[in-house]
Amino acid sequence: MGSPWDQEDLLSKLSSDVLVSILEKLHLGEAMRAGVLSRRWRSLPHQLPRLALGVNDFVKPGEEYNYYEDEGCDMLPDFTFDTLARASEAMFDAIWALLRSRADETPVCTLAVSFLLRGNYMSIGHLLDDAMASGEARAIEMTISTNYTRADINDMKHIINVKLAYGRRFRMLFDAYPAAFGGLTRLTMKNMRLLRHDIHDILATCTRIEMLSLEKCDAGPRSQVPWRVRHARLAELSITYCIFTSIDLDWLPSLKRFTYRSWICTAHPILMMMSFGHVPQLNTVTLSNDQMIGQPILKFSQALANTAVADLRLNFRGQDVWVEPEGPKRFIDIFCNLKHIKIRNLHQECGLSWITFLLQASPFLKELHIKLWDHKCGMVHKKNAVYFATKKTNVPWEAAVNFKHYGLTRVTILGLYNTGEEVIAYIRCLAEAAINLEEIRMRKNTPCKECGIAGTGFPRTVQERESLRHKISGGEPVSFKLCIQS
């Protein structure tokens, strides 16, 4: 048998389309470096259908991170020694060079650009606008953020003024380059405050937009008018740490995924925190919040009315349960298609029995995933932390006598409270109620993203795992597969 160098080069026999699809899986920088492999490969990166560039990609490895704390002021400083400014200029040059290097016969591409509202942001907007207007790009994806990191919550007036200044910058960008925003299919905005009509104008102008993500980016709590969302093509809407009086998803015929994280609700007593109108394709709803004093309890029968979701994801972030248990009759239409429920970071003091109301309300449920909050997170006690310590209360709920579920086949539980007794009791109740249960999988919890601590209650040795298995089964054979993984 000959040496490897004598073997047939199968890679070179692949068509250019296949090779380009392989390069699509790589970071753009790696794809460009692959162009040095051969004369044939040299042209392949320029045929990529999507060019993704971010300002952080152009910060040189090992370079000291020096930048001006831009607060959205009109008088811009000298950016000569600013790391982010140099990176932004380098990204601008790279976009320009990539567009110029594409041959006339090369299919037009999607430009996905992540940049900051500082320095040369208007030049970047101009470049994207020209690319859309000239037909060099078929679509634009933007991630627009700020580098403002001040976190002194005692000076909220100053923070709001800074976010308003960034909002004015965005409006200037938006008004100046209608072709770029008219070709926009994905938009992520971070850390700015807009006027209420700005958000409406975005949806009105960006007729092709399919994904909108707002993070710490809202119109403020002044108005008692809800944000009424209407768009023909919007398929994904994500809202994180935003202040809205309430949100009315009025007419979104293409919406498939809705995410609402860490809401700060200022709803008028006669308004609901969120409501759904015409959303016939809505499949996945993700709700995440740390319940704070004064925040309303969520009634699914009201909040999710007019929906028929298949995938429901709830994250309590180690705080109070903000869902009110209700009788199953209220959910005949709402949960008729529900197949998957994922509950994350459920505190021990809130109990587990209330989850049964979700099972009773969703007869076609197939999978239940529960991630337990199995440690005391240090973030709760830190000054100006994201979390606000509240009094945990056990959520009362009495399941129907002899309740049976015929659809549930798989249960996954991450973590274990220190005593473990409550979890064991709940698993035994689940096993008794779920007639067609096939598998219960228990795994060690992942370390907390906030404090890095992992719970200590989960069994670590083979003997401890066998002891847990025995407690769950009562020493008797079970009809389902019980997997315990550390």
Side-chain angles (χ1 to χ4, degrees):
M1 187 173 181
S3 69
W5 303 106
D6 298 329
Q7 302 304 309
E8 186 177 20
D9 183 6
L10 299 178
L11 193 61
S12 65
K13 291 184 176 295
L14 297 175
S15 67
S16 294
D17 289 344
V18 173
L19 293 177
V20 169
S21 68
I22 294 173
L23 292 181
E24 281 186 79
K25 307 297 189 295
L26 303 177
H27 186 278
L28 181 58
E30 296 172 334
M32 297 302 296
R33 285 192 288 272
V36 304
L37 294 178
S38 69
R39 183 176 301 175
R40 183 191 179 196
W41 279 77
R42 191 177 304 159
S43 64
L44 295 179
H46 302 289
Q47 301 177 35
L48 289 169
R50 181 176 181 271
L51 302 178
L53 302 95
V55 65
N56 288 328
D57 298 333
F58 293 87
V59 176
K60 297 178 181 179
E63 182 177 8
E64 189 174 353
Y65 221 70
N66 294 321
Y67 63 88
Y68 174 73
E69 187 78 25
D70 185 5
E71 296 187 356
C73 58
D74 295 329
M75 297 297 292
L76 298 180
D78 180 6
F79 285 110
T80 305
F81 302 103
D82 189 292
T83 304
L84 295 178
R86 290 198 300 271
S88 189
E89 292 289 351
M91 183 178 72
F92 175 90
D93 294 340
I95 298 172
W96 187 90
L98 285 168
L99 291 175
R100 297 290 84 78
S101 65
R102 297 175 73 89
D104 293 337
E105 65 273 11
T106 303
V108 292
C109 64
T110 295
L111 281 175
V113 183
S114 175
F115 62 98
L116 299 171
L117 279 176
R118 71 196 300 273
N120 66 339
Y121 72 99
M122 290 296 287
S123 298
I124 294 173
H126 193 178
L127 186 60
L128 298 178
D129 195 72
D130 285 348
M132 277 302 302
S134 65
E136 292 178 290
R138 64 165 175 261
I140 301 290
E141 301 174 9
M142 292 189 198
T143 296
I144 306 174
S145 55
T146 74
N147 69 308
Y148 184 64
T149 58
R150 184 168 178 167
D152 184 3
I153 63 174
N154 296 317
D155 195 1
M156 287 302 299
K157 183 177 180 180
H158 177 76
I159 293 175
I160 290 172
N161 287 336
V162 170
K163 293 181 72 174
L164 282 169
Y166 279 122
R168 289 191 293 269
R169 281 190 186 178
F170 171 80
R171 186 71 207 205
M172 185 165 59
L173 181 75
F174 180 78
D175 290 337
Y177 304 116
F181 283 91
L184 203 64
T185 57
R186 299 176 67 87
L187 174 62
T188 297
M189 302 172 63
K190 300 180 181 180
N191 206 23
M192 66 189 79
R193 176 159 288 188
L194 308 172
L195 300 179
R196 183 164 293 276
H197 64 265
D198 291 337
I199 301 180
H200 291 285
D201 290 348
I202 290 171
L203 293 178
T205 300
C206 305
T207 56
R208 296 174 55 189
I209 193 168
E210 297 176 0
M211 191 284 289
L212 175 62
S213 175
L214 303 176
E215 181 179 331
K216 298 180 183 177
C217 179
D218 51 61
R222 296 186 184 89
S223 174
Q224 293 299 331
V225 179
W227 177 28
R228 184 164 283 109
V229 190
R230 297 175 62 88
H231 199 280
R233 299 182 64 171
L234 190 65
E236 182 176 351
L237 177 60
S238 177
I239 303 168
T240 304
Y241 281 115
C242 293
I243 302 174
F244 289 103
T245 301
S246 64
I247 298 176
D248 178 11
L249 304 181
D250 184 39
W251 185 78
L252 295 165
S254 302
L255 187 68
K256 296 179 180 179
R257 294 172 295 280
F258 174 66
T259 300
Y260 202 179
R261 295 189 182 95
S262 301
W263 57 79
I264 304 174
C265 179
T266 63
H268 188 275
I270 65 173
L271 298 174
M272 288 189 293
M273 182 189 75
M274 62 181 174
S275 59
F276 294 85
H278 182 64
V279 287
Q281 295 193 56
L282 184 62
N283 180 77
T284 302
V285 172
T286 301
L287 302 173
S288 172
N289 201 29
D290 13 272
Q291 170 68 17
M292 294 178 287
I293 297 173
Q295 290 289 302
I297 297 294
L298 200 64
K299 286 189 175 183
F300 280 151
S301 61
Q302 295 177 356
L304 298 182
N306 301 321
T307 70
V309 299
D311 191 343
L312 180 63
R313 306 176 184 187
L314 309 174
N315 190 342
F316 297 103
R317 303 182 69 174
Q319 299 297 303
D320 287 338
V321 170
W322 30 261
V323 174
E324 181 175 319
E326 303 176 74
K329 292 183 179 180
R330 294 175 176 265
F331 299 91
I332 294 176
D333 296 324
I334 298 175
F335 287 164
C336 63
N337 293 328
L338 190 60
K339 300 296 191 300
H340 309 277
I341 294 178
K342 179 175 285 189
I343 299 173
R344 294 174 57 83
N345 299 319
L346 184 61
H347 199 282
Q348 179 174 5
E349 295 177 25
C350 296
L352 291 165
S353 61
W354 66 272
I355 300 175
T356 307
F357 101 86
L358 292 174
L359 301 182
Q360 291 179 243
S362 48
F364 301 107
L365 184 72
K366 294 294 184 183
E367 295 189 22
L368 174 64
H369 180 108
I370 303 174
K371 181 179 184 294
L372 304 174
W373 187 275
D374 53 9
H375 72 288
K376 292 183 178 180
C377 184
M379 288 294 289
V380 174
H381 306 290
K382 289 184 179 180
K383 183 180 179 181
N384 299 344
V386 173
Y387 292 98
F388 295 82
T390 58
K391 182 180 180 182
K392 316 298 184 303
T393 55
N394 192 287
V395 182
W397 178 258
E398 293 184 6
V401 179
N402 298 323
F403 162 65
K404 300 297 180 185
H405 197 288
Y406 295 90
L408 188 64
T409 59
R410 174 174 292 184
V411 176
T412 301
I413 297 179
L414 269 64
L416 191 68
Y417 297 138
N418 288 334
T419 60
E421 298 302 324
E422 183 177 1
V423 179
I424 293 170
Y426 185 70
I427 290 175
R428 297 179 73 169
C429 288
L430 271 180
E432 184 176 343
I435 301 299
N436 296 311
L437 186 64
E438 297 176 1
E439 181 182 50
I440 294 181
R441 186 175 296 273
M442 301 182 68
R443 299 205 308 265
K444 181 180 179 181
N445 217 337
T446 55
C448 175
K449 292 182 179 180
E450 305 298 339
C451 66
I453 296 176
T456 58
F458 201 86
R460 290 172 288 183
T461 65
V462 174
Q463 291 78 8
E464 288 175 344
R465 290 194 291 273
E466 286 302 316
S467 175
L468 176 59
R469 188 189 307 273
H470 182 82
K471 290 179 181 179
I472 293 173
S473 65
E476 300 293 332
V478 293
S479 59
F480 54 88
K481 184 179 179 181
L482 179 59
C483 300
I484 303 175
Q485 302 172 321
S486 57

